[in-house]
Amino acid sequence: MTTTRGLEGVVATTSSISSIVNDVLTYRGYNIDDLAENASFEEVIYLLWNDKLPNKQELDQFSAKLAEDAVIPEEIINQIKSYPSDKVSPMAALRTAVSTLALYDEEADDMSEEANYRKAIRLQAKIPTVVTTFSRIREGKEPISPKKDLSFAANFLFTLNGEMPEEVAVTAINKALVLHADHELNASTFTGRVCVATLSDIYSGVTSAIGALKGPLHGGANERVMKMLSEIGSVENVDSYLHQAFEKKEKIMGFGHRVYKTGDPRAKHLKEMSRKLTELTGETKWYEMSTKMEQIVRDEKGLPPNVDFYSASVYHSLGIDHDLFTPLFAVSRVSGWIAHILEQYSNNRLIRPRAEYVGATNQSYVSVENR
């Protein structure tokens, strides 16, 4: 039996959802560059779940259903109001609320293909509202109901801030959602698939995935990037900060990737959006610090930035609280989780790997009086 730490390089299943080959990311065979520049997030969700891009009628119907199902039950709002908001992290709140949503879904335990698809739409639609509702409640504000005539990205910003968003902000959020939608068999996706491979329900699968994303080695990287940029403070401090970190052998957040060797193809899209947004807000220092860091880390350590690095300054420039970065990641990635959950259901086999035992052997029981 061969042991591989972290299952690195282990092929655990076959999938037709997304691929990473020669540092090129595709969804259902579509290059991420093509989708990031041209597609709405609604189109990408439909693509991931249906293995094709929707026609106009299909897209209109799908988008309308997402908007219609975006309202969350009053019971969930009241539950969120009961959270100790000064102590609860947004990811813990999201995990708990998504699990509770199942209690208010009459089809929660209906495992038919049709019911699972309907639940998929409800989950995708409601998760951003859960995030924005928590954000507003902890600020002492009343939650805002989504508008049926707004896009997915626009509704997120509207229910977060309570005002109609500018087009550049909607474009930025839509692009970020597209770029984060799926990423092959990452930690949270694998967690979700392991869960539903037992034939547990879709709510349990998504809740499990959220739990995995909550960990700082997976979903929290962009929040830590923004913390690092805030500590650096100015372009003039970048060089000394990095070289001190190099000397201490500290990890520089937002660089390198276990799968990509020559660079994360998603990073360049967020880099350009960071440039535009920081110019718009008049805080170009975030972009300037980031580009200088990229140059130094690439030149001296051979590490290119990953998707988390520039998404930090993008979200900051949009006025999004730093601890909401990972929940926003979940708002997007739930589309991929669900695609993988539906795929797992369609050709299921219980996921049950083995472990190599390295503990003590030949032990004999000794009565408690003689220990």
Side-chain angles (χ1 to χ4, degrees), residues 16-17 26-60 62-63 117 174 178 181:
S16 61
I17 298 169
T26 68
Y27 299 165
R28 300 287 191 183
Y30 288 87
N31 191 301
I32 192 62
D33 292 340
D34 194 8
L35 294 173
E37 292 300 326
N38 299 298
S40 68
F41 183 53
E42 290 89 335
E43 288 178 286
V44 168
I45 303 169
Y46 192 98
L47 170 66
L48 291 173
W49 296 0
N50 296 279
D51 198 13
K52 69 167 189 173
L53 285 170
N55 60 33
K56 182 66 166 61
Q57 181 180 2
E58 290 168 334
L59 179 60
D60 289 345
F62 187 70
S63 299
Y117 195 85
N174 181 81
V178 169

Side-chain angles (χ1 to χ4, degrees), residues 296-315:
I296 293 173
V297 175
R298 191 187 290 269
D299 290 348
E300 299 193 24
K301 297 296 179 180
L303 293 174
N306 57 41
V307 70
D308 298 307
F309 187 64
Y310 283 102
S311 66
S313 52
V314 167
Y315 296 161

Side-chain angles (χ1 to χ4, degrees), residues 16 26 53 84 99 102 114 138 143 197 206 210 213 223 247 260 275 283 294 312 316 335 339 362 365:
S16 61
T26 68
L53 285 170
S99 181
E114 295 78 13
R138 72 172 177 175
V206 171
I210 292 171
L213 187 67
E223 180 182 348
E247 289 176 10
Y260 297 115
R275 182 188 66 78
E283 289 194 311
E294 177 185 355
H316 176 80
S335 61
N362 300 318
Y365 180 82

